[in-house]
């Protein structure tokens, strides 16, 4: 489906396992300069300075591609394209989990550097939420980067702290904020 975002014509589509290749990510820039992050201290969320650069290397891309290929087989991977170039993507694992099987996992959502704050991420999130709801989920689960910019993005979409934490996510990324979005 074609959509105009910030004056650019974008094409959003689901991606098959075969379409998820190294070349798909040619020119995609994950880089994020982080200064302030949310940290949990004594049961409260506080903002602390923790400057670092979050970026992906070749191994990270290999792992990402393998994960997205698996997700495409049991869930959905959406891509956002400008001039046939990937500028954003998201993935929802198709398996329900949690008490009562209410959650589906938004396992990935990323927008290339130059396209952030233009509505691409919000459109991808909307597609992910619609797909999860249509496939039986009551909530979307998000293990999200703790950077204040990332948390502001999710708050703008109505996400809140998850009422149930996934041990799998908290063990893998202990500094992530565990969020949910009611569908």
């Amino acid at each position: 489906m074609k959509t105009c975002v910030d004056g650019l014509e974008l094409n959003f589509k689901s991606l098959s396992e075969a379409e998820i290749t190294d070349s798909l990510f040619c020119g995609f820039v994950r880089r994020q300069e982080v200064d302030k992050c949310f940290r949990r201290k004594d049961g409260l969320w506080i903002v602390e300075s923790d400057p670092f650069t979050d970026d992906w290397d070749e191994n990270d891309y290999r792992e990402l591609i393998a994960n997205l290929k698996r997700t495409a087989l049991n869930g959905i991977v959406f891509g956002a394209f400008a001039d046939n170039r990937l500028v954003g993507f998201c993935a929802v694992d198709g398996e329900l989990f949690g008490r009562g099987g209410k959650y589906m996992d938004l396992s990935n959502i990323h927008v290339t550097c130059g396209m952030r704050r233009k509505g691409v991420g919000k459109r991808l999130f909307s597609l992910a939420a619609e797909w999860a709801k249509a496939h039986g989920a009551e909530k979307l689960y998000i293990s999200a980067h703790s950077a204040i910019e990332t948390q502001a993005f999710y708050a703008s979409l109505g996400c809140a702290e998850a009422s149930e934490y996934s041990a799998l996510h908290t063990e893998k990324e202990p500094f992530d904020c565990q969020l949910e979005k009611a569908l």
Side-chain angles (χ1 to χ4, degrees):
M1 88 193 63
K2 293 194 181 214
T3 304
C4 230
V5 174
D6 201 38
L8 290 169
E9 187 175 286
L10 297 180
N11 185 32
F12 291 84
K13 68 176 196 161
S14 63
L15 301 173
S16 70
E17 177 194 15
E19 292 174 295
I20 302 168
T21 63
D22 292 347
S23 62
L24 179 67
F25 294 92
C26 184
F28 192 92
V29 181
R30 164 61 183 96
R31 186 178 185 84
Q32 182 178 0
E33 298 292 334
V34 177
D35 180 23
K36 298 192 182 313
C37 295
F38 283 91
R39 296 290 185 251
R40 197 165 188 90
K41 300 278 181 165
D42 301 321
L44 300 173
W45 287 103
I46 62 167
V47 175
E48 288 186 345
S49 181
D50 185 13
F52 65 97
T53 300
D54 194 2
D55 208 350
W56 290 339
D57 62 21
E58 193 174 308
N59 289 330
D60 293 322
Y61 276 103
R62 254 189 254 120
E63 185 179 329
L64 170 71
I65 290 166
N67 288 336
L68 291 175
K69 283 179 171 283
R70 279 191 297 278
T71 301
L73 293 174
N74 79 344
I76 191 78
V77 177
F78 288 107
F81 295 84
D83 297 323
N84 295 316
R85 183 178 54 90
L86 183 74
V87 297
F89 65 94
C90 70
V92 179
D93 293 329
E95 185 177 325
L96 292 164
F97 70 95
R99 288 186 303 270
K102 295 179 182 177
Y103 288 104
M104 274 192 187
D105 186 19
L106 178 71
S107 57
N108 280 282
I109 184 167
H110 298 282
V111 176
T112 194
C113 264
M115 292 297 291
R116 294 181 189 149
R117 293 177 185 79
K118 298 179 185 296
V120 177
K122 286 183 180 188
R123 181 67 186 129
L124 286 166
F125 187 89
S126 175
L127 289 169
E130 290 167 14
W131 187 91
K133 184 175 183 177
H135 288 82
E138 294 177 31
K139 297 178 179 184
L140 205 52
Y141 190 93
I142 307 111
S143 182
H145 198 291
S146 60
I148 59 171
E149 299 86 358
T150 303
Q151 291 303 304
F153 167 74
Y154 286 113
S156 75
L157 298 169
C159 298
E161 185 172 359
S163 56
E164 180 181 340
Y165 276 29
S166 162
L168 177 72
H169 288 299
T170 57
E171 289 168 11
K172 183 179 177 189
E173 294 288 349
F175 291 115
D176 275 6
C177 298
Q178 306 305 308
L179 305 173
E180 67 184 26
K181 168 67 175 170
L183 305 175

